[in-house]
Amino acid sequence: MNWSRTKTWLIVLFIGINLFLLFTIAKENIAQSTISEKMVADTVAILQRNSISVDPQIIPRKMPILSAMEVVNTMTSADETAAALLGGDATYDREDNCYLHGTAMVEVGGDSVRYTNTTPTHANAYQDEQSAIQFAKGFLTDAGYNMAKAEAQILRYSDHEAHILLTQKMDSYPLMDSQFSVRVTSKGVAGLEGCWFYMAEDQSGASGARGRVKEITSVLIDFMNDPNRSGSSSKITNITLGYTTGDKMTYHKSVSAMPSWRITTADGKEYYYDASSI
């Protein structure tokens, strides 16, 4: 018996078996992570029978694996936040519970901060949409907010005023309730409101159990049956997968950001649903 040749064939056989198993597992994972077109069509039909319309093309087909992530609040204290936004010189008004400097004011509550300036004095703050976005980012960067991963969206724009929404991103998914709504005039930032969380530098990745997100078709049925859904929310215009941190009324130094689905409707309302499959 030629043992060397037999051993070689056994090695080839085991490699073949392992490759077959890997292919089978990969095929099953792909099948589990993809929603069939029939399921999408059936879900759209059910929604239509309940007077809810949605373009099938905006329904995601791929369900990725996500987990909770620990995020840190940029705001460490109300005093420091106000001083940074007001240029280092803030006077606290105890009666109105706000910070003042010149024509600018800062209010802090829970995780959120609001800045208003009735008379900004910057000359020619922007010339187009892109420069308006850069001006808003620059203002927040100067105040200590890291805008490196910020995703910008122009909500309204004119030669005299631009409304910009800045959203924090973690990897390729938005942290949907870590946002700043910024109003930039030709003279500078006239107002902003929101909060800003970031992933800790020493965190290499996921901080919780990983799992396939809840299928969007199931979430759409939850939306249909949601007792808090407004009667005017009868047309779905956008579906977004990302993260949320929850309650903003209480201050959080750090918090777990959870996978979430956001459904936006034509009446301007947004609905959030837990995307955890467990």
Side-chain angles (χ1 to χ4, degrees):
M1 179 178 180
N2 191 331
W3 172 243
S4 178
R5 179 176 295 181
T6 302
K7 186 167 66 173
T8 300
W9 278 110
L10 286 173
I11 291 172
V12 172
L13 177 62
F14 288 141
I15 291 174
I17 292 173
N18 287 333
L19 288 174
F20 174 76
L21 290 174
L22 287 172
F23 174 78
T24 302
I25 292 171
K27 185 177 179 180
E28 289 178 354
N29 284 337
I30 292 172
Q32 290 172 1
S33 65
T34 305
I35 297 177
S36 69
E37 293 302 320
K38 183 179 185 307
M39 183 176 292
V40 170
D42 289 345
T43 303
V44 170
I46 292 171
L47 292 172
Q48 287 178 340
R49 287 198 294 270
N50 286 270
S51 303
I52 299 172
S53 63
V54 58
D55 183 348
Q57 297 304 314
I58 71 170
I59 299 177
R61 270 55 168 183
K62 300 289 186 179
M63 300 298 109
I65 293 175
L66 296 180
S67 65
M69 291 189 178
E70 195 72 14
V71 293
V72 181
N73 198 336
T74 299
M75 180 166 58
T76 56
S77 75
D79 290 349
E80 292 179 3
T81 296
L85 286 167
L86 294 172
D89 189 6
T91 301
Y92 180 61
D93 186 324
R94 189 175 300 276
E95 183 177 350
D96 292 330
N97 190 29
C98 65
Y99 297 82
L100 304 169
H101 177 63
T103 60
M105 176 179 68
V106 168
E107 301 169 274
V108 177
D111 288 330
S112 301
V113 59
R114 176 185 296 169
Y115 167 92
T116 54
N117 191 345
T118 56
T119 314
T121 57
H122 195 283
N124 301 318
Y126 67 90
Q127 293 76 44
D128 51 30
E129 291 188 359
Q130 192 57 42
S131 61
I133 290 172
Q134 292 307 315
F135 190 90
K137 286 184 177 181
F139 181 88
L140 284 161
T141 298
D142 291 343
Y145 296 92
N146 189 337
M147 295 283 110
K149 295 184 178 180
E151 183 178 61
Q153 178 185 1
I154 294 285
L155 301 179
R156 292 189 296 279
Y157 180 85
S158 72
D159 292 339
H160 305 291
E161 188 170 283
H163 290 246
I164 301 161
L165 182 66
L166 298 170
T167 304
Q168 178 70 291
K169 292 196 74 175
M170 300 196 306
D171 297 328
S172 57
Y173 295 96
L175 184 53
M176 296 182 290
D177 55 359
S178 178
Q179 298 180 319
F180 271 121
S181 175
V182 188
R183 183 166 60 90
V184 182
T185 71
S186 57
K187 296 295 185 180
V189 173
L192 66 83
E193 184 174 4
C195 65
W196 203 252
F197 285 81
Y198 62 93
M199 191 186 305
E201 291 183 1
D202 60 353
Q203 184 173 317
S204 59
S207 61
R210 294 175 63 82
R212 191 80 62 190
V213 298
K214 186 175 181 180
E215 290 186 353
I216 186 56
T217 48
S218 176
V219 173
L220 287 168
I221 299 303
D222 292 341
F223 168 78
M224 181 185 73
N225 295 320
D226 191 341
N228 297 314
R229 178 171 60 86
S230 171
S232 61
S233 300
S234 58
K235 181 179 180 180
I236 297 171
T237 56
N238 184 265
I239 299 171
T240 302
L241 177 63
Y243 291 87
T244 55
T245 57
D247 176 39
K248 291 292 176 289
M249 301 299 292
T250 304
Y251 172 74
H252 301 89
K253 182 178 180 180
S254 63
V255 66
S256 291
M258 306 300 296
S260 302
W261 286 105
R262 181 179 67 197
I263 295 177
T264 306
T265 49
D267 57 0
K269 299 184 184 301
E270 296 178 341
Y271 299 86
Y272 293 86
Y273 300 92
D274 182 9
S276 302
S277 58
I278 300 175

